[in-house]
Amino acid sequence: MEINLRFSLLLMSLLFLIAIPSLASIPLRDSLGISPQDESYYKAGVIKCKDGSKKFSRDLLNDEFCDCPDGTDEPGTSACPEGKFYCQNSGHAPLVVFSSRVNDGICDCCDGSDEYDGKVNCSNTCWEAGKVARDKLKKKIATYQDGLIMRNKEVEKAKLAIAKDEEELSKLTNEEKSLRELVGKLKEQKERIEKAENEEKLKKELEEKRLKEEAEKQAAKEKESIEASLQVESKDANEKVPEASTEVGEKGKKTEVQHEGASYDEHNEVLSRESPAQKFAKMTRNEDEETKPGNAEDKLEHAQMAEQVSDDSSANGADAMHSEGQEHGSASTGGFSKEELGRLVASRWTGEKSAEKDENPKDESQKVHTDDVAEPAEEEENYDSYNSDTEDDRYKYKDHGDEHKYDDEYDGDSDEEYSNDHADTADAADSYKSDDEYKSDHSEDTSTHGGLSWIDKIQQTVQRVLQSFNFFKTPVDLSEASRIKKEYDDLNSKLSKIQSRIHHLKEKNKHDFGNNKQFYSFYDQCFEYKENKYVYKVCPFKKATQNEGHSSTQLGRWDKFEDSYRTMVFANGDHCWNGPDRSLKVRLRCGLKNEVADVDEPSRCEYVAVLSTPAMCAEEKLKELKQKLADMNSSQQASHDEL
Amino acid sequence: MIRSSPVATMSPPPLPPLSTILLFSLLLTSPVSAWKKEEFRDCNQTPFCKRARTRAPHSIPSLSVSSLSLSDGAVSARLLPSQLLQSPTDSTSASPRALTLRLSVYTPGALRLEIDEDYSDPDAPSHRRFRVPDVLLPDVDDRHKLYLPRISSASPGVTSFYLPYGFEAVVEHEPFQIEVRRASNKEPILSFNSHGLFDFEQLRTNKSDGEDWEERFRSHTDTRPRGPQSISFDVSFHGADFVYGIPEHASTSLSLRPTRGPDVDFSEPYRLFNLDVFEFLHDSPFGLYGSIPFMLSHGTKSSSGFFWLNAAEMQIDVLAPGWDDPANPSPNRIDTLWMAEAGVVDAFFFVGPETKDVLGQYLSLTGTPAMPQHFAVGYHQCRWNYRDEEDVDSVDAGFDSHDIPYDVLWLDIEHTDGKRYFTWDKTLFPDPVGMQKRLAAKGRHMVTIVDPHVKRDDSFFLHKEATEKGYYVKDASGRDFDGWCWPGSSSYPDMLNPEIREWWSEKFLFANYKGSTPSLHIWNDMNEPSVFNGPELTMPRDAVHYGDVEHRELHNAYGYYFHMASSIGVVKRGEGKDRPFVLSRAFFAGTQRYGAIWTGDNSADWDHLRSSVPMILTLGLTGMTFSGADVGGFFGNPEPELLVRWYQLGAFYPFFRGHAHLDTKRREPWLFGEKNTALIREAVHVRYSLLPYFYTLFREASTSGLPIMRPLWLEFPQDKETFNNGEAFMVGPALLVQGVYQEGEKSVSVYLPGTESWYYLRNGVTYAGGRSHKMEVFEDGIPTFQKAGTIIPRKDRFRRSSTQMVNDPYTLVIALNSSKSAEGELYMDDGKSFEYEEGAFMHRQFVFSDNKLVSTNKGRTNLSKKKFYSECLVERVILLGLSANAKKAVIEPGNHEVDIELGPLSLRAGSSPVALTIRKPNVHVADDWTISIL
């Protein structure tokens, strides 16, 4: 049956091809370029311009003179710039083209109906094109059908997961509340203990001081004469030591700084223009070495100055460079070889472009180095993220409580707090990573034992500890005090973990997962795409990066969905030299797998990727496609009927 | 500035400590402004300029004319210091040698002055000073030189002789001075050395004691083996209100502002020295990419011009009245001081008397602008860089899907294999022929870049050949000059040598330029030449060219020769059939014969939009009619409003191209939302509908030299209000365009010159001439007016590119003047070949008077060997200023009636019928016919 059908289609198509010449006759003026929906509109004797500006009699329809500025009267000619021409394209899908395409010598409609003035012969390609299009559409529909099932599953899953999240959140909120109370109590006790301890300590110190002073007075009297001479010497020595160490330090730094020549500022400027130039230099180096080994090498010695220094591999290089700088004198271009200067100037137009585009082993090694440092640090931050709050608290506590007593410590503390703040910011931004870690970590603590919830148990423990402590006992019972402190620290840490988890869940819930939560599962996923030497990593709701070896460039942080969930936007990525901050738009389309394809950079530092995902296989779209196929089939039928 | 702040340029990932230090120093001192003043010499750092500029009038020993005689139809004489003549015994051993002076007369109205060393003098050095070859037309002497039959000496020490148009030249012998004046009333027009500032440093072979000929600038040393050899002199323009010309400078003023004198803030002189200036300022006398040492003066009484054919660095002061004597400022005279580093005096005085005459006189010597192919008059889409074939296809498709016409897609340097011109990046452009064919199938063209720097790579055929043949410019030590440009280490073909130009031109043959097709044309950039590590980013002055010519002597013409060779090459490849299109950045007098230029690397800001108009007008006044500024601004990202305004203005530039820097955001016309897409489409449509008018103007330029984009005063030479108007301009004789140069502008004041009225093309309303009008500004276009008494041919159907418009019918827009008449013309040819030179063109004259429109032939078809005929019809005649009761018109021959009805001025949705329109006269545009209004 099916074979039969196919055979007959083939036969039809052959017949159709043969029939083309007879179809290419000049069509009727009255129907030219008019879509079937509009046919009745043009039936009247007097026709209105669609914009209402004017009326025209039927004989002015398609008379090659534009009467309606909106093109109503010339659907079939090029007379009106704003006109639209409808081609029926039997065998394929109808098409509406700009009237500027009519009789312009270029075949736009597959049925050739847009070229009827005889100047060009357009063959009818609708049958073949239509078949290709239908096949493509069928495939697409199949994908949508399968994808839709997957999508629905995901949507279900997402709903459950979201409910679970909400449940967890409400549970955690309660726990947090109880725990906070306990921690408060413990903190109070802890503070009292510490106060008592401090008082004791102070007393003790005063006593010791008094005893010491007395002893010293005694001794001083005895050694007065000897000390006078000793003091002079030691003073000298003290002054010499720091001086010496400075010298050592400067020597160490010399390779970095001294080559810059007499004027630091001047050289700064030079360097500032140099860096991109250096990159440019690196780019062309390989070629140079091939073409002109001797000469190129000679020149490169100068050109590599920044590289060598930054590489911190070759002190000799830096030295050579240093002497080079002196040779050239201190003019504002001093220190440059001709080649460096050329590169420098070229870099004004090109920026980093050249370095980014071209392979650059040196640069890479630099980046690797960077990443080795950066990545563990990032992980650490994540591990610490529960603790950071605690630490922060501790510092704050100290600040508030002891500020006046320990004035000299204040500076140090505030510095630390400052750096901690920084860590916190980073943590907050990266907190999404902590999700799984939280689960594994927290589950031990929060799992329930023997009927009692963990929080009940803790409550009991705290009660016990608090009761057993006697505040009126001096000196403070050390073991009891440390128990309280320990308990406080433990609980406080637990509290931060819970708070962090709550924060995390709330942050997650804030995200827009789509009108059917179809993108929920993206939250914990990253999608990778390899292109040449780059690996692109797209983590929805988080960030997108371009990785090359161990180096990573951020293309953007999650911003939003756009274009009614058809595009994901990552914005404010790493800055581009002389360009915008990097950004990435991910166009979503229906597919059976979550898969990134086709990362592109159409505009400098503005990336575009395509992600196919079942989440995009929406039912409405499927219906639309089916309708389109039905239309195509019916028009195909129509063309058969014509035959 | 538009560049991002230097701090922001440093991006993660974090760097190792040592490089961090380096980069930090980078952060601290990156300059805020990108204009690097310190990299360029100012007058004080330029010894010849400093010397000449600080001289007081008549402070140097004067010169005397001796042995004046008439020989071979020209005047020749010797110039010697006056005191030497009076007491020759006083002469010391270092006495100056005599100079030779030659004066000759050219039609249609020029006096030529040549002053050079006397090489017959036994003490003269063997080296000859450089005279720029190949700039004056090769047959200029045959065609334009007048044989002077006699000279007269009415009084002793004064010689005078005839100049055309009732002028005469007067030579005063002691002190030496030349004046061009009206013969009838002895009124002076131009004078030379009337302030005694003429100075000529003669070539020497020996340095005097302790003299150092070397010049140092920054890290560069110029060996100057021939010592100081500068020339300076004063030229006065009498009866002048303003002077114009001497491009290329960025300026918001059309006239040349004084650079010295009372009430003038300190200014550098105008510098003519072709330089690749990174992010140039929008208003500065600093020299840019090209030089045309031609100045025009204009006043209500007369216009005149002065051209110094010299390719060395030039500095020109425009002196404010009273500069020489603050107590007695002389009105109606503008004095100028001309200074050049080397060369000879080979100068032309143009007598006018009208500016159009001055232009014609100048172009009779240097040649009228080349007639471009029709496609080149359309819109060009460029970007540094369309990355690959896919990108090209998608941009091309973008224009189609948004129904925006364009004719040319451009590829910048990245399309090449490692900046080796004439090659393709094989990964990005694997099939350049296929790509060009896809464009050509839609009637579109492609332009690729070919720069003069040749990558020093032995595997590169061009470098190999040039090295083997010894075709590169040499450095001071005689080796191939090695400078830095895009490809890195590069050398530069010596384009002064005709043999090398010949060799270069053959590189464009299809067989040699692999991957090129007939639809491919060429772009010459960086031909100042730009040398990144050279002094002032160009070639050292002591580099040596063909014929032992130092680079200092021909610098300003290097780009010209390069452009010439490329342009000849593009002609050659098509067996001489097709007109070439070659865009150049550098230019010199004569460049107009070889192609178009653009104003270089401007910036995406309103000031640059504004200064583009005076810049292009100035270029037009100096013969360089086919020019334009990058629409949108090369550097930076224009706000959509600026971009739209730039398209609206750029649509009237003779050369209309959008271009953008590599680092900018994409800005194809459809990337700024539907509204802006529509606005840009409309702007481009305006250009395309006016293509017949533009092409006719290109024809006029190529015959008479009149610019396409004209200062108002060129059309209204008596209207003083217009003399310094650099905001509005005429396109041809009929259209007046007022730019909008400010963000959010609600209204502009438009001065409409003349006594006739003007039709506002937005709604057909008439506005009186001779006064300013406050016009409301709309977002859909800038104010445009048609002068009463003119006829503009249009094509109102829009296609993908101009190619498909060939057969489309015309619309004639007739704007009647107070006597209900108007006239206009239309030129058309095959749009691509040279057959028009043999008469294969159509040139119609349209005259409307007595209620009758008559079309007659304006061309000299009877002389034609070849014919051209257009099948196009006239589909519509729009009549502005005709009383509204006309209903019918009769067409002859044929005696058939057609309707007249009220129609819109442009066919856009929502446009209302405002003008009488003759509906479908359907006469053949190429035929003679008459349409009479009944």
Side-chain angles (χ1 to χ4, degrees), chain B residues 81-129:
Chain B
S82 303
Q83 74 262 51
L84 210 70
L85 275 178
Q86 283 150 7
S87 48
T89 47
D90 284 359
S91 67
T92 58
S93 56
S95 72
R97 303 179 300 271
L99 296 168
T100 61
L101 169 81
R102 198 177 157 81
L103 287 159
S104 39
V105 183
Y106 285 73
T107 54
L111 169 70
R112 183 179 194 175
L113 165 68
E114 293 160 277
I115 302 173
D116 199 350
E117 310 261 0
D118 181 0
Y119 298 106
S120 63
D121 189 317
D123 295 334
S126 55
H127 179 77
R128 287 189 170 236
R129 300 174 75 111

Side-chain angles (χ1 to χ4, degrees), chain A residues 9-119:
Chain A
L9 280 175
L10 195 75
L11 198 71
M12 290 285 191
S13 69
L14 280 171
L15 280 171
F16 193 82
L17 283 172
I18 294 159
I20 285 166
S22 67
L23 281 178
S25 59
I26 293 175
L28 288 172
R29 210 179 83 179
D30 280 3
S31 60
L32 197 57
I34 296 173
S35 71
Q37 299 98 288
D38 268 358
E39 265 167 27
S40 56
Y41 187 89
Y42 287 99
K43 283 278 188 285
V46 175
I47 305 161
K48 260 192 204 158
C49 301
K50 284 182 177 172
D51 64 2
S53 60
K54 212 175 156 178
K55 283 178 195 165
F56 60 94
S57 61
R58 209 175 145 75
D59 59 323
L60 299 189
L61 176 63
N62 285 334
D63 73 337
E64 282 279 354
F65 187 85
C66 187
D67 292 291
C68 306
D70 73 348
T72 312
D73 64 311
E74 298 295 316
T77 78
S78 60
C80 289
E82 312 230 343
K84 297 283 190 313
F85 180 90
Y86 172 90
C87 13
Q88 194 184 334
N89 287 348
S90 298
H92 192 5
L95 185 68
V96 175
V97 298
F98 297 112
S99 64
S100 64
R101 312 291 196 256
V102 177
N103 289 331
D104 68 346
I106 299 164
C107 308
D108 288 283
C109 303
C110 64
D111 63 3
S113 58
D114 58 316
E115 296 299 317
Y116 56 83
D117 65 355
K119 290 210 169 71

Side-chain angles (χ1 to χ4, degrees), chain B residues 466-761:
Chain B
T467 310
E468 281 164 7
K469 292 177 189 272
Y471 278 176
Y472 285 136
V473 178
K474 306 290 184 283
D475 64 21
S477 67
R479 284 186 296 249
D480 284 352
F481 170 71
D482 179 347
W484 197 269
C485 209
W486 297 129
S489 181
S490 306
S491 289
Y492 297 71
D494 185 3
M495 292 299 172
L496 181 60
N497 185 342
E499 176 190 326
I500 299 175
R501 289 204 295 270
E502 180 72 18
W503 165 78
W504 180 259
S505 68
E506 275 165 12
K507 300 300 154 211
F508 293 90
L509 296 178
F510 296 121
N512 291 337
Y513 186 178
K514 301 269 188 285
S516 68
T517 71
S519 68
L520 185 80
H521 289 257
I522 298 300
W523 173 16
N524 289 162
D525 195 2
M526 316 296 278
N527 51 338
E528 292 75 25
S530 179
V531 180
F532 290 155
N533 58 356
E536 303 190 85
L537 266 74
T538 191
M539 199 173 268
R541 289 159 199 250
D542 54 7
V544 181
H545 293 260
Y546 167 69
D548 203 20
V549 173
E550 279 191 287
H551 185 69
R552 88 183 71 249
E553 299 176 281
L554 87 99
H555 172 83
N556 284 344
Y558 180 84
Y560 166 74
Y561 293 114
F562 182 70
H563 190 194
M564 178 195 292
S566 303
S567 181
I568 289 170
V570 177
V571 176
K572 243 182 210 171
R573 62 168 197 185
E575 291 154 1
K577 277 193 207 139
D578 289 345
R579 295 171 230 165
F581 176 79
V582 181
L583 179 80
S584 169
R585 191 170 69 185
F587 57 86
F588 190 66
T591 292
Q592 69 272 10
R593 308 206 297 269
Y594 297 103
I597 68 111
W598 91 108
T599 61
D601 297 349
N602 59 357
S603 298
D605 58 55
W606 291 90
D607 287 335
H608 274 262
L609 174 69
R610 181 188 293 269
S611 65
S612 72
V613 169
M615 286 177 84
I616 297 167
L617 288 175
T618 299
L619 287 162
L621 281 173
T622 50
M624 201 48 250
T625 53
F626 198 5
S627 53
D630 282 343
V631 169
F634 177 67
F635 289 113
N637 297 304
E639 289 300 313
E641 185 188 349
L642 174 60
L643 185 66
V644 167
R645 288 289 182 222
W646 215 316
Y647 268 99
Q648 290 168 346
L649 186 72
F652 297 102
Y653 293 164
F655 175 59
F656 181 26
R657 180 183 76 157
H659 186 33
H661 185 274
L662 184 70
D663 287 340
T664 58
K665 284 166 170 282
R666 293 293 282 242
R667 56 166 96 132
E668 284 69 52
W670 50 89
L671 295 177
F672 302 89
E674 259 176 54
K675 191 189 85 183
N676 291 311
T677 306
L679 293 174
I680 294 173
R681 179 192 300 123
E682 174 62 21
V684 177
H685 275 178
V686 165
R687 169 60 163 237
Y688 274 79
S689 76
L690 288 172
L691 283 180
Y693 181 60
F694 267 97
Y695 198 63
T696 303
L697 292 173
F698 270 94
R699 166 65 178 187
E700 187 179 16
S702 79
T703 52
S704 74
L706 278 186
I708 288 144
M709 197 166 137
R710 306 172 182 175
L712 301 184
W713 60 263
L714 196 62
E715 293 298 315
F716 300 90
Q718 296 303 315
D719 193 334
K720 274 194 154 194
E721 276 289 306
T722 64
F723 288 2
N724 199 17
N725 186 337
E727 293 193 349
F729 55 90
M730 297 293 293
V731 174
L735 270 185
L736 185 147
V737 178
Q738 167 75 44
V740 173
Y741 307 109
Q742 268 182 49
E743 194 177 351
E745 193 85 291
K746 294 280 182 289
S747 69
V748 286
S749 169
V750 186
Y751 179 75
L752 298 174
T755 48
E756 286 285 351
S757 55
W758 296 79
Y759 295 89
Y760 185 30
L761 289 181

Side-chain angles (χ1 to χ4, degrees), chain A residues 100-101 268 348 353 370 604, chain B residues 14 25 39 400 662-663 798:
Chain A
S100 64
R101 312 291 196 256
N268 270 348
R348 284 181 201 156
K353 164 196 71 108
T370 314
R604 186 151 153 71
Chain B
S25 51
E39 278 181 9
D400 283 348
L662 184 70
D663 287 340
F798 301 116

Side-chain angles (χ1 to χ4, degrees), chain B residues 107-406:
Chain B
T107 54
L111 169 70
R112 183 179 194 175
L113 165 68
E114 293 160 277
I115 302 173
D116 199 350
E117 310 261 0
D118 181 0
Y119 298 106
S120 63
D121 189 317
D123 295 334
S126 55
H127 179 77
R128 287 189 170 236
R129 300 174 75 111
F130 182 62
R131 301 175 70 107
V132 192
D134 307 307
V135 167
L136 299 181
L137 291 169
D139 55 354
V140 71
D141 280 357
D142 299 339
R143 283 178 56 190
H144 295 291
K145 197 167 170 182
L146 276 183
Y147 188 90
L148 207 57
R150 64 178 169 275
I151 50 177
S152 66
S153 299
S155 50
V158 179
T159 306
S160 63
F161 52 90
Y162 157 91
L163 290 176
Y165 290 115
F167 290 87
E168 61 181 8
V170 182
V171 183
E172 286 193 31
H173 298 203
E174 172 59 55
F176 165 58
Q177 189 188 148
I178 298 172
E179 192 168 272
V180 172
R181 65 188 185 197
R182 247 178 260 279
S184 55
N185 56 9
K186 311 295 180 207
E187 221 174 66
I189 300 298
L190 287 154
S191 47
F192 179 88
N193 201 29
S194 59
H195 287 80
L197 289 170
F198 175 63
D199 184 50
F200 193 110
E201 293 181 316
Q202 293 186 305
L203 291 181
R204 290 181 292 162
T205 40
N206 300 314
K207 298 175 195 179
S208 54
D209 291 342
E211 197 180 15
D212 184 6
W213 284 0
E214 286 190 350
E215 272 185 33
R216 269 160 296 273
F217 180 66
R218 289 161 72 85
S219 62
H220 304 280
T221 301
D222 172 5
T223 58
R224 285 220 303 178
R226 287 167 196 148
Q229 47 178 308
S230 75
I231 300 172
S232 52
F233 51 77
D234 57 280
V235 173
S236 299
F237 297 86
H238 301 268
D241 291 340
F242 292 102
V243 286
Y244 310 86
I246 54 167
E248 183 177 39
H249 306 99
S251 180
T252 53
S253 167
L254 175 59
S255 70
L256 293 164
R257 296 190 188 100
T259 52
R260 261 169 69 198
D263 303 323
V264 176
D265 290 340
F266 173 79
S267 167
E268 286 288 311
Y270 291 99
R271 188 180 188 199
L272 291 181
F273 193 61
N274 295 1
L275 289 176
D276 181 4
V277 184
F278 182 73
E279 296 191 343
F280 65 78
L281 303 174
H282 71 274
D283 210 353
S284 163
F286 189 84
L288 295 179
Y289 312 93
S291 299
I292 301 179
F294 170 43
M295 189 185 279
L296 306 89
S297 81
H298 182 67
T300 43
K301 278 196 220 153
S302 69
S303 293
S304 59
F306 176 75
F307 168 49
W308 185 6
L309 177 53
N310 186 332
E313 176 181 3
M314 212 179 275
Q315 300 264 10
I316 301 157
D317 261 324
V318 174
L319 304 158
W323 69 279
D324 47 345
D325 183 3
N328 289 305
S330 47
N332 286 327
R333 193 188 79 215
I334 295 177
D335 300 326
T336 56
L337 175 64
W338 298 65
M339 306 160 265
E341 190 190 5
V344 297
V345 178
D346 186 1
F348 295 83
F349 302 84
F350 304 112
V351 300
E354 298 287 331
T355 306
K356 288 178 179 179
D357 299 326
V358 176
L359 251 172
Q361 288 151 10
Y362 168 74
L363 292 172
S364 68
L365 304 172
T366 58
T368 50
M371 187 68 196
Q373 284 205 34
H374 190 267
F375 80 83
V377 185
Y379 172 63
H380 299 251
Q381 180 66 31
C382 187
R383 174 177 182 82
W384 176 22
N385 209 93
Y386 289 120
R387 288 164 309 150
D388 50 25
E389 289 176 9
E390 203 187 333
D391 198 5
V392 166
D393 288 343
S394 87
V395 170
D396 180 66
F399 277 94
D400 283 348
S401 61
H402 296 91
D403 202 24
I404 300 173
Y406 88 100

